[in-house]
């Protein structure tokens, strides 16, 4: 088996890192300490993770694409790349969305509720000191969870977007190698470069916000209901003003 320069690099420390190290991002410390002492070189880097390698991701996507082409051709329909991407990465995307939903409701909804309980104690609406202490503990716990889980979650989404990009680049590259001279004459180099550099690079950032397309309306409904329980009809005016600003933000 032919070896490459990447195979000669040290093993990625994340391959053997424990859950605590992944949560606290401790596996990057050796590189940071080394970079503090000198300018990093290629030999100071690590091999990519096995799950991030182009051949592994490309094989999975190409296999799913060939299956999609055979199935859709039998039905007399055009194959769709979006269906293939969802088939290969859909489960991971679903799990990240589910975890994000749990995190948002546990952290973002708990914080204002605990803050309201603390304010009620200092305004003499609820003079029970035990409740105030529990609300304060809940507020601190939610804040810590928000910080501790935020960056690893974003890193996981970036990794998933990168895996989609690498798999699609591998698919485009393999397709280009199989094109005939006639087909290559109809396709310019600029089109291929644009696909590999600009179009697929959007997967690196889009996954950070894609889950909020369904999560934001759900959060808005829950938060509006909770505010209505506390302050009544006045809550709808605040939500209405916020919604009126959405077109301006989009513009």
């Amino acid at each position: 088996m032919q070896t490459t320069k990447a195979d000669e690099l040290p093993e990625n420390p994340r391959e053997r890192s424990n859950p605590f190290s992944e949560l606290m991002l401790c596996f990057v410390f050796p590189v940071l300490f080394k970079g503090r002492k000198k300018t990093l070189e290629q030999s100071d880097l690590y091999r990519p993770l096995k799950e991030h390698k182009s051949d592994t991701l490309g094989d999975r996507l190409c296999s799913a694409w060939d299956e999609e082409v055979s199935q859709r051709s039998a039905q007399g329909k055009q194959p769709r790349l979006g269906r293939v991407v969802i088939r290969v990465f859909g489960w991971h995307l679903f799990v990240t969305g589910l975890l994000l939903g749990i995190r948002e409701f546990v952290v973002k909804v708990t914080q204002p509720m605990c803050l309201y309980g603390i304010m009620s104690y200092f305004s003499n609406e609820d003079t029970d000191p035990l409740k105030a202490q529990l609300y304060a503990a809940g507020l601190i716990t939610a804040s810590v969870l928000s910080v501790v889980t935020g960056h690893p979650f974003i890193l996981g989404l970036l990794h998933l977007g990168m895996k989609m990009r690498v798999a699609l680049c591998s698919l485009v590259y393999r397709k280009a190698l199989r094109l005939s001279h006639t087909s290559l004459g109809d396709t310019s180099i600029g089109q291929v470069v644009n696909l590999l550099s600009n179009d697929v690079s959007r997967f690196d950032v889009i996954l950070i916000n894609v889950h909020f397309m369904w999560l934001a309306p759900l959060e808005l409904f829950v938060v509006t209901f909770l505010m209505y329980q506390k302050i009544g009809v006045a809550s709808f005016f605040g939500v209405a003003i916020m919604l009126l600003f959405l077109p301006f933000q989009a513009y």
Side-chain angles (χ1 to χ4, degrees), residues 122-230:
F122 285 105
S123 61
N124 295 325
E125 294 181 12
D126 189 351
T127 57
D128 189 353
L130 179 60
K131 285 186 178 180
Q133 293 173 4
L134 292 176
Y135 281 129
L139 182 62
I140 295 173
T141 303
S143 301
V144 171
L145 286 176
S146 177
V147 174
V148 171
T149 61
H151 295 292
F153 184 80
I154 294 176
L155 179 62
L157 286 177
L158 291 175
H159 277 182
L160 181 58
M162 182 193 67
K163 288 163 69 174
M164 291 182 179
R165 173 175 58 82
V166 171
L168 288 170
C169 287
S170 178
L171 185 64
V172 173
Y173 181 72
R174 297 182 188 195
K175 177 66 176 177
L177 293 178
R178 293 198 300 263
L179 290 177
S180 61
H181 291 287
T182 305
S183 300
L184 286 174
D186 298 333
T187 304
S188 65
I189 299 178
Q191 289 177 318
V192 179
V193 172
N194 186 59
L195 281 174
L196 296 176
S197 60
N198 296 330
D199 294 344
V200 297
S201 64
R202 298 176 184 177
F203 283 96
D204 289 330
V205 295
I206 192 174
L207 291 188
I208 298 178
N209 300 317
V210 69
H211 288 302
F212 288 99
M213 296 178 63
W214 64 269
L215 188 57
L218 186 59
E219 269 189 288
L220 180 63
F221 175 78
V222 173
V223 171
T224 304
F225 175 76
L226 293 175
M227 288 194 301
Y228 178 77
Q229 297 293 321
K230 299 297 182 181

Side-chain angles (χ1 to χ4, degrees), residues 20-239:
F20 178 80
S21 176
E22 294 190 7
L23 186 64
M24 304 302 295
L25 305 179
C26 298
F27 56 88
V28 302
F29 287 171
V31 175
L32 297 180
F33 291 150
K34 189 179 295 185
R36 185 174 179 271
K37 297 178 181 178
K38 66 169 189 175
T39 302
L40 291 177
E41 300 178 355
Q42 185 177 358
S43 59
D44 298 321
L45 303 179
Y46 302 108
R47 294 198 298 265
L49 295 174
K50 296 178 181 178
E51 59 187 74
H52 293 168
K53 288 188 175 180
S54 176
D55 53 354
T56 304
L57 295 171
D59 290 342
R60 290 176 56 193
L61 191 64
C62 286
S63 176
W65 173 252
D66 293 338
E67 184 180 351
E68 171 74 7
V69 171
S70 61
Q71 290 180 355
R72 302 286 287 186
S73 299
Q75 300 173 359
K77 300 179 181 179
Q78 290 290 333
R80 296 187 178 182
L81 184 60
R83 289 164 50 95
V84 177
V85 174
I86 293 176
R87 188 182 305 166
V88 176
F89 300 102
W91 171 248
H92 294 86
L93 192 62
F94 171 77
V95 172
T96 55
L98 181 62
L99 293 176
L100 177 62
I102 295 174
R103 176 182 177 270
E104 287 291 312
F105 281 101
V106 170
V107 173
K108 298 295 181 64
V109 178
T110 302
Q111 284 181 320
M113 293 177 64
C114 293
L115 186 60
Y116 179 83
I118 296 174
M119 294 174 61
S120 299
Y121 173 76
F122 285 105
S123 61
N124 295 325
E125 294 181 12
D126 189 351
T127 57
D128 189 353
L130 179 60
K131 285 186 178 180
Q133 293 173 4
L134 292 176
Y135 281 129
L139 182 62
I140 295 173
T141 303
S143 301
V144 171
L145 286 176
S146 177
V147 174
V148 171
T149 61
H151 295 292
F153 184 80
I154 294 176
L155 179 62
L157 286 177
L158 291 175
H159 277 182
L160 181 58
M162 182 193 67
K163 288 163 69 174
M164 291 182 179
R165 173 175 58 82
V166 171
L168 288 170
C169 287
S170 178
L171 185 64
V172 173
Y173 181 72
R174 297 182 188 195
K175 177 66 176 177
L177 293 178
R178 293 198 300 263
L179 290 177
S180 61
H181 291 287
T182 305
S183 300
L184 286 174
D186 298 333
T187 304
S188 65
I189 299 178
Q191 289 177 318
V192 179
V193 172
N194 186 59
L195 281 174
L196 296 176
S197 60
N198 296 330
D199 294 344
V200 297
S201 64
R202 298 176 184 177
F203 283 96
D204 289 330
V205 295
I206 192 174
L207 291 188
I208 298 178
N209 300 317
V210 69
H211 288 302
F212 288 99
M213 296 178 63
W214 64 269
L215 188 57
L218 186 59
E219 269 189 288
L220 180 63
F221 175 78
V222 173
V223 171
T224 304
F225 175 76
L226 293 175
M227 288 194 301
Y228 178 77
Q229 297 293 321
K230 299 297 182 181
I231 61 177
V233 183
S235 60
F236 295 112
F237 292 98
V239 175

